[in-house]
Structure formats: C-alpha cells, structure tokens
Amino acid sequence: MAWWLSWLEAVWPHLAAGLTVLVSVLTSAHVVLHKRDVRAAVGWVGLVWLVPVLGAALYLVLGINRIRRRARSLTPRRGHGMFPPIRGVEAVVAEGVSRVKPEAAHLAPLARLGDAVMHRPLLPGNQVTVLESRTDAYPAMLEAIARARTSISLCSYIFDNDVAGRHFAGALGEAVRRGVQVRVLVDAVGARYTWPTILGRLSREGVTAARFLPSMMPYRLPFMNLRNHRKILVVDGQVGFTGGMNIREHFWPGEEAARDLHFKLEGPVVAQLQETFAEDWVFTTRERLSGDAWFPEQQSVGAVLARVVADGPDEDFETLRTVLLGALSTARASVRIVTPYFLPDAALITALNVAALRGVRVDVVLPRKGNLPVVQWASTAQLWQVLADGCRVFLTEPPFDHTKLMVVDGEWGLIGSANWDPRSLRLNFELNVECYDAGLARRLDAVVDERLSRARPLSREQVDARPLPIRLRDGLARLLSPYL
C-alpha cells in the first residue's frame, strides 16, 4: 500500500497537468467549432488557457447556448400551430409584393430576404392601429380581454404586481369565470421586478400562468441573457396586440406615464402572433395549444401586408438583425428609427452610414436621458461613428421614451419589442412585425414627427466636445456593449 501512495504522490502532478491540458483542448475545440462571433471565440479560448479549469467551467456554465439545444429537442415545434398555411388566406411571395403594393415594388428584395430567413409568409388583409401608452393602449387591451369569448394568450417580459398588473389580473380572472381559456407567460426575471410576484394573484384568479426559464440569479440582475422580451396579447385568435409596453404602473394612462407605443392588429397576421405564443408556451409547459379556440379561420380586414419577425437564440438566431440590414440596404429615400437603447454593432453602423452616403435621409431618435445610465454612456461613446457619414441623431426631452419603431421610404414599417442593442438582436427572444402599407407608414411617420417636435439635433462637434473624464467613462462602458 505504501508503494501505491508513493507512486501516486510522484505522478499526480503529471496527471493533473495532463487532465488540465486535455480539458483546455476539448473546451477550446468546442469554442472554435460552435462560436459564431470571432471576438467571443477569441475571448473564451484566451480565458480557457489563461485560467485553466476555471475558464472551462465558466464556459460550460455561461458559454454554451442550451436554449437552442432544448428548443430543437421539442420537435416538431411547429406541429401544434396552423402554419403553413393559414386557412382562408393566400400568402404573398416576394414577387407578388409589387402586385399587392405597387408603390412598394422597390422593396420586393426586402420581402424576398424575409422569405429566405423567416419561417412565416407575408400575409395580406391586415389592419394595424397605433396606440399610445399615455392614452389608449391599456384601455384597448383591457376592453379586448373583457370581450373575449374563447381564448386569451398573454406574454409579457414584465408583469408587475401593482395597479396596472392588478387590473389585468382581475380582467383575466373574469374571463376565466366566463369560461374563456386563458394562458399567461411571464419571463422569470421580469416577474421579479415586484415582490410578491403577480403569479400568486393570477393563481388566485384561476388563471393558468407559467414562468419562462426560471432563474436563480440575483433579483433584477441587469445583465441577464436569454430572456423572453416579447409582448403578445391575442384574444379569441382574432385580435392581437404587440409593441414595446410591459404591464406595469409605469405605463398606466396619464400625463405622468412613460411614453411608448403599442399596436392593435387584426387580420391573418394575428395567427402568427398566436403561433409564436404557442411555441413559447409549449417550450415552457409542454402543453400544446391547438384547435379553433386558438387558431380560428382568418378573414381579410384591411390593406396592410404583414409578417411576424420572431427573433431569439434558437432557430431564429439573428433573424431580426438580418432584416434590419436588408431594410437599410433597400431604402431609397428615408430611414427613420426611434429606439430607447441604441448600441448597433459594426455591421449595422456601416449599413447606416452606407445608406446615408447613398443619399438616404437617416434619422435616429433617442432619449436625451435614459433609464439605464451604463447603456446610455456606451451608446454615446459610439454615436460619433453614426454621425460621421451623414446620419442625423435627435435627442428627445424627458419623460423617458420607450418607443421602438422603424419606417423606411414611407412604405415599410417595423414595430414590436426589440431594441437596437446586442441584448435584443442576439441574446433575448423578441417579436416584431414588418408591415408594407403607405397608410400605416404615414401614421408611423406622424409619430416620428411628433417625437422630433420635442427633440434637439445632436452634432458630431457636441459629441466630441464632451470633457475627457466623461469620454473615458463612456468609452469604458462601450467595452461592455456586447453584454448590455
């Protein structure tokens, strides 16, 4: 026995060194084979070798996208929905855009791009109503819930247990007591913005609710990834709502409310909203939603050509970013962007600059004072790159504006939950809707004009004139931009 211990004492350092090298080699191989972003790959490989074993452990915990693997395990994910096709609706392929929307014929390449990267077709016959947080957004949503007869599906990143949350919980409970099937999905991190969470109240109201990806991370940790940031409400499978608004007192109607937009959708595209919710619901609970209560036959009710743009770290990875690049490259006259968080990556900055250099008027509208200081510092640090080649940046005065909106050439609009930052474009689950319609685009342009009426332009000289300590602070914050 003594010789065995002596032998082990002599060789264990060599065994430990060999295992450490083996772990580092295997981990590095996984990084090289699976990380799409070169900077992320280099960073992880460096960490693995500079901090042996611990670097590999961190990569195992934080670096592997298990969401994508789990999503693939739920095959067929789309078996529970009605796609394709939607009963009673004929989809429009890219070549048909010029026939349905002659004024938007030059945007047919953008529609072709969408056909290539999205799972869903462009659908005609939709109507989109613009709703403002301070006036009619919550009232319209609560009215739709009150009229529900068969089903309600609701997904929200934040669903606070406050005056707004209690109004919605009560309305959903009343629907349950009328015999309506109700399903509510709240992101597990977003649910913890108030304590106790709204889930207890929903349970007492008899509402079937679930948390998306429960997490043990600290309360309201600002750097949480893989969250469900979508905002979806579908009533009876016929009326849908989406946009930027969470459910919280922050957006309760009134002059003191934060500014934001939400949208009421009617027509065939509502079925795509419903399918997106159904996919998230089966992912979370394994319950499949099907049948006429959730997916009734759709009818044409308007002139908007629309399609849901679902984005997330699963099969839809970087779909929205691809659509943004396509829209910028297709624009001929104008691009108008309103967003609360603006941290575009190098490719998007280049696309914005190239559009401006081609003679396209590119306007970016941002809040002068954001609600996340580090994000605003990082955004300010890279604004000089956007301003350098002719893009125009405008800053709106408080109160904080949470609006997310893009309009191209007065013909195409993008509405929904995503911001222009890495968190929305790479790390979280988002939902937007692309819309081809000059009438709707005019209404969206009017929203941008209203924002501009209380904004001031920001020049390259003003950005460069910031004091050195401020520029250093902002520059350091910019280094965190991939994670903000």
Side-chain angles (χ1 to χ4, degrees), residues 416-439:
S417 66
N419 303 302
W420 280 64
D421 62 11
R423 185 161 301 280
S424 280
L425 300 179
R426 290 181 59 88
L427 301 176
N428 288 343
F429 294 87
E430 303 283 357
L431 183 136
N432 283 55
V433 182
E434 63 165 342
C435 304
Y436 296 77
D437 183 67

Side-chain angles (χ1 to χ4, degrees), residues 274-338:
Q274 187 76 295
E275 190 200 32
T276 304
F277 176 88
E279 289 175 0
D280 290 345
W281 186 256
V282 73
F283 176 90
T284 304
T285 68
R286 303 300 177 110
E287 179 190 12
R288 295 180 181 271
L289 305 179
S290 61
D292 288 344
W294 302 99
F295 294 95
E297 186 167 346
Q298 300 291 334
Q299 303 293 329
S300 176
V301 297
V304 178
L305 185 62
R307 163 167 49 199
V308 161
V309 184
D311 187 78
D314 54 0
E315 289 96 332
D316 299 315
F317 184 66
E318 291 196 333
T319 296
L320 179 57
R321 178 175 176 272
T322 302
V323 171
L324 295 178
L325 290 169
L328 292 171
S329 66
T330 309
R332 288 183 179 178
S334 65
V335 172
R336 314 184 84 184
I337 299 163
V338 184

Side-chain angles (χ1 to χ4, degrees), residues 324-399:
L324 295 178
L325 290 169
L328 292 171
S329 66
T330 309
R332 288 183 179 178
S334 65
V335 172
R336 314 184 84 184
I337 299 163
V338 184
T339 181
Y341 312 115
F342 188 65
L343 287 167
D345 61 21
L348 284 169
I349 291 174
T350 299
L352 288 164
N353 289 336
V354 168
L357 292 169
R358 289 193 292 110
V360 177
R361 189 183 76 248
V362 179
D363 293 340
V364 181
V365 184
L366 311 173
R368 181 178 65 80
K369 184 177 181 180
N371 65 334
L372 299 174
V374 177
V375 174
Q376 185 155 20
W377 299 342
S379 176
T380 304
Q382 63 183 50
L383 284 180
W384 69 268
Q385 300 177 65
V386 178
L387 292 164
D389 291 310
C391 297
R392 304 193 303 176
V393 175
F394 298 85
L395 304 180
T396 57
E397 294 298 323

Side-chain angles (χ1 to χ4, degrees), residues 71-124:
R72 287 175 173 171
S73 73
L74 293 174
T75 56
R77 291 187 72 212
R78 304 184 189 279
H80 60 278
M82 303 298 298
F83 291 76
I86 301 174
R87 292 176 295 164
V89 178
E90 182 178 351
V92 176
V93 296
E95 290 71 18
V97 170
S98 57
R99 172 179 52 83
V100 178
K101 296 289 181 182
E103 65 279 7
H106 71 285
L107 296 175
L110 178 57
R112 187 174 298 111
L113 172 69
D115 291 342
V117 302
M118 288 181 249
H119 305 294
R120 299 175 172 90
L122 271 172
L123 299 176

Side-chain angles (χ1 to χ4, degrees), residues 35 44 61-65 67 157 187-190 212-215 217 220-229 312-313 421-424 426-430 480-484:
K35 281 296 172 186
W44 278 116
V61 174
L62 302 175
I64 298 176
N65 187 346
I67 304 306
Y157 171 60
D187 185 81
V189 172
F212 183 87
L213 287 183
S215 169
M217 298 299 287
R220 292 184 68 172
L221 184 70
F223 303 110
M224 289 295 298
N225 301 335
L226 308 178
R227 307 321 314 166
N228 193 327
H229 196 244
D421 62 11
R423 185 161 301 280
S424 280
R426 290 181 59 88
L427 301 176
N428 288 343
F429 294 87
E430 303 283 357
L480 298 174
S481 59
Y483 314 103
L484 294 178

